[in-house]
Amino acid sequence: MFKKCALLLTAFTLIPAQLPAKGSASSADLAVLKRPAVVRVVTGCEAKFVSKLDKNSKNYPINTAFTGTGFFISPDGYIATNAHLVSRQSCESGLWARLADSIIQDLRTSSGLVPDTLKTKISLIAVNADNNNEARVEIAKELKNYFTSESYKQRGKVWLAGDEFKTETNNELYGMMDIGKDYEIKKEAPAASSASDPDYGGKDVAIIKVDGINAAPTLKLADSSAVREADVVKVIGYPGIADTSFKSLPRASIMDGKISALKTWKNDVQLFQIDVLVAGGSSGSPVLNSQGEVIGMIVGYNRDLSSNDKIPFAVPVNIIKEFVGQSGTTANQESETDRLFQAGLDSLQSGSYSEAQEKFEQVKRSFPQHSEVDDLLSQTQQQRNVSTQQQRELMIPIVGIGGVSSLALLGLTWFLLRNRSQQRLQTAAASISTEPLQTRMASPKVSNFFRPSTVVKQPFLELKSSQGKDHR
């Protein structure tokens, strides 16, 4: 019995301690508190490429798509991300690169009509390039002398953290452009095809908006002027190499790192060099300080071609604020979803499971795509069930103790009453045997309940008759 009581007390003490504590910023806490505000940004485009030299030659219908990261900065759907993720110039560059792949494939299979002059150019580029990717870029540039694009179309989507991908209808990213919500570009840096473009360098920022959202979870923008080298940071994003399955697409990764150096770009724009693992798809990822506030955003990386080592850089959040002010919104607005979610976590931590479940259900209604609320609703229900079962188990010995106590009390009461009755009987008997005759004869009758069990002789008178006989 005491062992069960001890287990119950231990459960109530340890289970809440495993939950995120308010104000804490461990990796586990950030996964629950900050990941819901981080989204995947997807941009796709298509065009038809026609030869300038021969109108009767093969046309190439090409499409491409790429993904990056963004994060909500206001409850009404404003998102901060990279300009190179949403600009037309970036998407068109991707189309030309895909055209280069198609041309190279045709050369290998001897299919299609490729001008001899282009074949020669492509061969020279392939021989002189340091690596295949560099050759691909150079070939794409050369193709612009031989082809023109027609019927260009571009689409942009935001995949929310809690979006559900039920069926894998198309392995090609462009074939998945029907998933998610459309976005509108509200403010972006000057168009460029690369995050390292010298024309805008570190100001690779865009603010986009998703309509139909009014209670999004948000990230708070801090003051990047307080950032120092060696500061510990966390990066939340969607690196493509972490997409292990179709269902993992809406699940953001959280990585630990630090500020390696405070750098400046060619145009004297400040950048943060970050010691953290990044890959394609990490662009636009928020960089968080130890309080979980945004101090920067990943804009790209420099890569060593020989070792393939990558050095990522982040634009300071104070530059992002410049774009926020020009986009028509205000940063650091209170999110009702975040308020309800924190209240639910506080209730869950304190063991108020019914109240926690109510708050999490409100979060679900407020922002159905919240990435963490379903798991916490399930956890809360499990804790309620465990608590109820443990209380029932605890009540069994309590009821047993109560039953035994009641029987003992009844037995004690009967025993005391019985002793009291016997004492009264003995007292009555003693008084009958010791009182004078006159007193005993004058005493009132004793009730049957208290009548003593001893035989008492009745008093009598002796008389003599005239013949001398005794009469009683």
Side-chain angles (χ1 to χ4, degrees):
M1 177 187 70
F2 294 107
K3 184 177 181 181
K4 290 183 178 181
C5 295
L7 288 175
L8 180 60
L9 293 175
T10 302
F12 278 126
T13 302
L14 295 182
I15 291 172
Q18 298 166 356
L19 300 171
K22 189 173 183 180
S24 176
S26 68
S27 295
D29 293 348
L30 286 176
V32 175
L33 296 171
K34 306 304 178 182
R35 183 157 45 195
V38 181
V39 302
R40 190 190 288 261
V41 179
V42 186
T43 300
C45 55
E46 61 180 81
K48 182 175 68 173
F49 290 88
V50 180
S51 173
K52 294 179 180 180
L53 303 178
D54 185 358
K55 295 296 183 181
N56 296 322
S57 64
K58 178 182 177 180
N59 295 331
Y60 291 87
I62 304 293
N63 64 64
T64 188
F66 47 88
T67 75
T69 305
F71 54 95
F72 282 111
I73 57 174
S74 69
D76 55 347
Y78 281 83
I79 296 169
T81 188
N82 288 156
H84 78 266
L85 291 176
V86 300
S87 71
R88 172 168 178 162
Q89 186 172 347
S90 294
C91 211
E92 285 182 331
S93 296
L95 288 175
W96 285 104
R98 291 293 296 272
L99 175 62
D101 292 340
S102 298
I103 294 293
I104 293 172
Q105 181 66 23
D106 280 353
L107 289 175
R108 290 172 179 169
T109 60
S110 300
S111 63
L113 298 174
V114 180
D116 291 337
T117 53
L118 181 56
K119 292 180 182 179
T120 303
K121 277 283 187 181
I122 291 176
S123 299
L124 289 173
I125 292 172
V127 169
N128 296 325
D130 292 333
N131 58 65
N132 291 334
N133 188 62
E134 182 180 334
R136 181 170 175 256
V137 172
E138 292 300 320
I139 291 172
K141 291 179 180 179
E142 186 65 29
L143 289 177
K144 293 182 180 181
N145 297 321
Y146 296 89
F147 288 88
T148 184
S149 64
E150 298 178 353
S151 307
Y152 177 86
K153 295 180 181 178
Q154 180 170 326
R155 304 175 66 186
K157 293 286 186 176
V158 168
W159 293 354
L160 302 179
D163 275 344
E164 184 177 1
F165 298 84
K166 296 181 180 180
T167 57
E168 190 167 359
T169 57
N170 195 322
N171 288 325
E172 287 287 335
L173 182 60
Y174 190 76
M176 299 165 59
M177 291 300 295
D178 290 333
I179 300 174
K181 296 182 179 295
D182 295 332
Y183 68 74
E184 176 187 359
I185 301 174
K186 289 295 187 179
K187 182 64 181 179
E188 63 178 320
S193 59
S194 171
S196 60
D197 192 287
D199 291 338
Y200 72 117
K203 293 190 176 183
D204 184 4
V205 179
I207 305 298
I208 62 178
K209 186 179 186 305
V210 176
D211 289 333
I213 292 180
N214 54 22
T218 62
L219 296 182
K220 183 178 180 181
L221 306 187
D223 181 4
S224 54
S225 64
V227 174
R228 298 291 181 266
E229 293 178 346
D231 282 354
V232 174
V233 298
K234 297 182 187 297
V235 177
I236 307 179
Y238 293 92
I241 58 176
D243 293 331
T244 56
S245 68
F246 185 75
K247 291 183 179 180
S248 72
L249 291 176
R251 194 69 172 173
S253 301
I254 299 179
M255 292 152 288
D256 294 333
K258 66 178 180 179
I259 303 293
S260 299
L262 304 180
K263 298 282 189 174
T264 55
W265 202 252
K266 301 171 184 179
N267 51 3
D268 292 331
V269 173
Q270 187 183 48
L271 288 175
F272 298 147
Q273 179 184 333
I274 311 291
D275 180 15
V276 71
L277 177 64
V278 297
S282 296
S283 293
S285 298
V287 181
L288 309 180
N289 60 19
S290 58
Q291 286 75 46
E293 301 169 341
V294 179
I295 60 169
M297 177 173 65
I298 300 293
V299 293
Y301 51 80
N302 286 342
R303 181 173 61 185
D304 186 328
L305 298 179
S306 60
S307 64
N308 205 35
D309 291 336
K310 300 173 183 177
I311 302 293
F313 295 91
V315 56
V317 73
N318 288 356
I319 294 178
I320 299 176
K321 291 178 180 179
E322 297 175 9
F323 289 81
V324 173
Q326 301 172 39
S327 66
T329 189
T330 303
N332 297 340
Q333 302 176 43
E334 182 180 10
S335 168
E336 179 67 8
T337 298
D338 289 337
R339 187 189 66 79
L340 291 171
F341 189 60
Q342 184 64 65
L345 289 175
D346 292 342
S347 297
L348 184 57
Q349 186 179 23
S350 65
S352 303
Y353 302 127
S354 296
E355 185 176 344
Q357 183 171 2
E358 179 184 353
K359 296 299 182 183
F360 291 145
E361 288 174 349
Q362 290 178 355
V363 170
K364 184 73 173 176
R365 292 191 295 269
S366 175
F367 192 74
Q369 297 87 1
H370 197 285
S371 62
E372 312 302 314
V373 70
D374 285 337
D375 289 342
L376 283 167
L377 276 170
S378 177
Q379 181 180 350
T380 302
Q381 186 59 52
Q382 291 176 4
Q383 295 304 324
R384 290 187 66 181
N385 294 340
V386 169
S387 176
T388 301
Q389 181 63 28
Q390 290 175 334
Q391 289 177 1
R392 288 175 179 172
E393 292 178 358
L394 184 61
M395 286 303 295
I396 293 174
I398 291 177
V399 171
I401 293 173
V404 173
S405 300
S406 299
L407 290 175
L409 182 60
L410 289 173
L412 179 61
T413 302
W414 177 84
F415 177 76
L416 293 174
L417 290 175
R418 183 175 180 275
N419 284 351
R420 184 178 179 185
S421 299
Q422 289 179 351
Q423 290 174 358
R424 289 183 177 179
L425 289 174
Q426 292 173 358
T427 302
S431 63
I432 292 174
S433 61
T434 57
E435 288 181 359
L437 177 61
Q438 294 83 356
T439 304
R440 280 183 279 159
M441 290 183 64
S443 298
K445 291 184 177 180
V446 180
S447 65
N448 291 332
F449 183 80
F450 294 104
R451 186 179 301 277
S453 59
T454 56
V455 177
V456 180
K457 294 182 180 181
Q458 298 294 325
F460 58 90
L461 297 176
E462 291 183 358
L463 299 175
K464 288 185 178 183
S465 64
S466 57
Q467 288 83 12
K469 295 180 178 182
D470 292 334
H471 294 276
R472 295 186 180 186

